[in-house]
């Protein structure tokens, strides 16, 4: 077994249960991509077993902090079984569930979403890639009781480049139709694991979509602007909540076509919904110029800041759309505003939105703080897991 020795003082992060070793912390030792290594402190004490990644700034991702634990197929089986059991306890009200959420489930670099009978999987690190076959077998074994029989790989993401891995996409186990119907709370949504974003859909917003339906009903919202709508999850929620004038704005035509189909699939009135294939920023400016007003607005943009290095520029972009949205709301109107940027903390996001309110000359009650659904867990020792944050504002 190859040993990676850390520089003096660099053992602290692993000792606090954080699973990453950065390149700058390594004093000596190297291994092949994904190879299991032992990580030792400067003075030769065991710290962790991990997967080595020669090209990544995250040089080692820990599999285990227990010296007696063996890194083999049974470890992946145990970790996957535990992750699946945790979701069973959550009693997620959907057949679309995140079953494995990377580091939070002790499986760095592995993301697994269940869509009915399909597991849609991302292998994002050299370590996860190395154990792909064993992980695929364990996933199907541990989810057979849920009725999962097929596994589709969606490792077609740019972060793999940082690990020296090429994109990969396609069936790993099973085959057939890649589209399934989700039943999420009381709504139905179709997902194509081949063409959909990420693993197919944004399961992390499930509880926030359901909340939006309740808020729209409670506050009697009629006109709703759903910005960055993707396939219209928040739009369908608004219609379920009783809205009669809902606009889905997105720059993806296929996503909007699916949004329109979702309105029909849920038996909702298609005359209450329209789609707008446009840039959100331009749409907000135009609506303002036309003097339009809305009872509720959703802002769920893509990641503006993948890391803290992009935080400044991203903050300006968030501030801009939030300022426009706050102006476009009727007094008493609701804003659901999100950031899924790992580089923007919940505190910073709050400050940015407060700045937007100041610039708009608008005050608002902060009704609720939002986060990802609980099947996308964070842990005490891995704050990086907290990527999605949101606010529910009521304009005064
Ligand atoms: N709210 C959605 C997920 C949004 S994902 C849900 O609950 O399912 C972000 C979306 O923003 C993507 O669909 C992408 O096509 C769209 N997008 C990205 N940049 C955009 C822009 N400048 N204007 C409009 N849409 C944009």
């Amino acid at each position: 077994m190859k040993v990676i020795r850390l520089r003096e003082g660099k053992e602290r992060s692993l000792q606090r249960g954080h699973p990453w070793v950065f390149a700058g912390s390594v004093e000596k030792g190297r291994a092949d991509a994904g190879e299991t290594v032992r990580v030792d402190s400067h003075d030769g004490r065991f710290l962790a077993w991990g997967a080595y990644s020669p090209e990544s700034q995250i040089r080692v991702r820990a599999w285990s902090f227990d010296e007696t634990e063996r890194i083999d197929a049974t470890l992946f089986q145990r970790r996957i079984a535990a992750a699946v059991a945790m979701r069973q306890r959550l009693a997620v009200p959907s057949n679309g569930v995140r079953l494995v959420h990377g580091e939070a489930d002790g499986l760095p670099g592995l993301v697994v979403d269940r869509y009915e009978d399909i597991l849609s999987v991302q292998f994002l690190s050299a370590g996860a890639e190395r154990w792909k076959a064993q992980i695929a077998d364990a996933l199907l074994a541990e989810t057979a009781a849920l009725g999962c029989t097929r596994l589709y790989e969606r490792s077609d993401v740019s972060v793999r480049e940082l690990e020296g891995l090429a994109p990969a996409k396609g069936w790993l186990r099973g085959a057939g139709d890649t589209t399934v119907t989700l039943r999420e709370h009381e709504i139905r949504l179709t997902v194509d694991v081949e063409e959909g974003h990420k693993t197919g859909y944004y399961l992390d917003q499930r509880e926030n979509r359901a909340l939006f339906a309740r808020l729209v009903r409670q506050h009697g919202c009629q006109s709703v602007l759903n910005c960055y709508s993707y396939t219209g999850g928040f739009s369908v929620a608004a219609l379920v909540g009783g809205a009669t004038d809902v606009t889905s704005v997105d720059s993806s035509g296929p996503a909007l076509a699916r949004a329109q189909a979702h309105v029909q699939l849920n038996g909702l009135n298609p005359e209450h919904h329209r789609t707008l294939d446009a840039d959100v920023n331009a749409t907000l400016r135009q609506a303002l110029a036309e003097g339009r007003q809305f009872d509720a607005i959703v802002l769920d943009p893509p990641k503006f800041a993948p890391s803290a290095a992009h935080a400044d520029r991203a903050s300006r972009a968030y501030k801009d759309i939030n300022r426009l949205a706050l102006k476009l709301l009727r007094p008493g109107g609701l804003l659901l505003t999100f950031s899924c940027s790992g580089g923007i903390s919940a505190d910073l996001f709050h400050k940015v939105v407060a700045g937007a309110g100041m610039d708009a000359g608008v005050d608002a009650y902060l009704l609720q703080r939002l986060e990802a659904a609980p099947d996308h867990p964070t842990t005490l020792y891995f704050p990086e897991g907290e990527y999605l944050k949101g606010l529910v504002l009521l304009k005064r």
Side-chain angles (χ1 to χ4, degrees), residues 191-350:
V191 172
D192 183 352
V193 297
E194 182 180 12
E195 294 303 331
H197 291 182
K198 306 210 288 184
T199 63
Y201 195 51
Y202 296 91
L203 297 175
D204 52 0
Q205 289 283 29
R206 177 196 316 110
E207 302 311 317
N208 299 328
R209 286 186 285 264
L211 170 72
F212 190 53
R214 295 197 296 276
L215 286 169
V216 164
R217 181 168 303 282
Q218 184 188 339
H219 293 266
C221 302
Q222 298 297 314
S223 58
V224 174
L225 186 64
N226 180 11
C227 299
Y228 311 96
S229 67
Y230 189 47
T231 58
F234 281 104
S235 301
V236 171
L239 292 164
V240 166
T244 51
D245 176 14
V246 179
T247 307
S248 297
V249 189
D250 203 283
S251 54
S252 159
L256 289 173
R258 209 173 268 275
Q260 191 62 46
H262 284 159
V263 173
Q264 255 124 348
L265 179 65
N266 287 277
L268 298 159
N269 188 344
E271 285 174 14
H272 290 175
H273 178 249
R274 86 192 87 183
T275 60
L276 196 56
D277 188 342
D279 172 65
V280 162
N281 212 295
T283 302
L284 294 174
R285 282 172 206 283
Q286 193 181 337
L288 201 58
E290 290 168 359
R292 299 195 54 194
Q293 295 255 278
F294 297 92
D295 297 331
I297 299 178
V298 178
L299 292 177
D300 185 21
K303 226 188 288 182
F304 288 160
S307 74
H310 305 80
D312 273 357
R313 225 181 116 181
S315 295
R316 283 194 291 277
Y318 284 120
K319 188 174 173 186
D320 215 27
I321 54 173
N322 280 281
R323 176 178 58 80
L324 293 165
L326 282 167
K327 281 194 173 185
L328 282 167
L329 278 181
R330 230 184 280 291
L334 293 174
L335 176 63
L336 256 72
T337 181
F338 296 96
S339 162
C340 61
S341 296
I344 304 274
S345 68
D347 262 8
L348 176 57
F349 187 57
H350 185 169

Side-chain angles (χ1 to χ4, degrees), residues 39 178 260 300 303 355 381 393:
V39 184
T178 53
Q260 191 62 46
D300 185 21
K303 226 188 288 182
Y381 311 137
L393 300 176

Side-chain angles (χ1 to χ4, degrees), residues 35 112 119 121 181 191 195 241 269 287 296-297 365:
E35 191 177 349
V112 182
L119 300 173
V121 185
T181 302
V191 172
E195 294 303 331
N269 188 344
I297 299 178
Y365 292 106

Side-chain angles (χ1 to χ4, degrees), residues 33-146:
E35 191 177 349
T36 301
V37 292
R38 177 189 158 110
V39 184
D40 277 357
S41 65
H42 181 71
D43 54 1
R45 281 171 297 140
F46 170 88
L47 295 171
W49 302 113
Y52 192 80
S53 186
E55 296 195 28
S56 175
Q57 276 309 301
I58 306 174
R59 198 51 55 87
V60 180
R61 285 178 165 82
W63 290 128
S64 173
F65 299 100
D66 175 356
E67 192 169 3
T68 66
E69 195 155 37
R70 282 180 52 132
I71 311 307
D72 58 17
T74 67
L75 174 119
F76 293 100
Q77 184 122 22
R78 287 195 305 279
R79 294 276 165 90
I80 289 165
V84 171
M86 185 269 194
R87 274 53 175 197
Q88 293 292 92
R89 288 183 58 172
L90 291 176
V92 177
S94 175
N95 58 345
V97 181
R98 173 143 305 183
L99 293 178
V100 177
H101 191 52
E103 279 76 355
D105 288 301
L107 292 164
L110 182 67
V111 170
V112 182
D113 286 336
R114 172 205 172 190
Y115 298 101
E116 182 61 11
D117 66 323
I118 302 177
L119 300 173
S120 184
V121 185
Q122 293 179 323
F123 298 88
L124 303 173
S125 64
E129 178 76 14
R130 176 89 163 212
W131 292 94
K132 188 182 276 185
Q134 293 85 347
I135 288 170
D137 290 342
L139 280 170
L140 286 174
E142 294 303 325
T143 58
L146 300 175

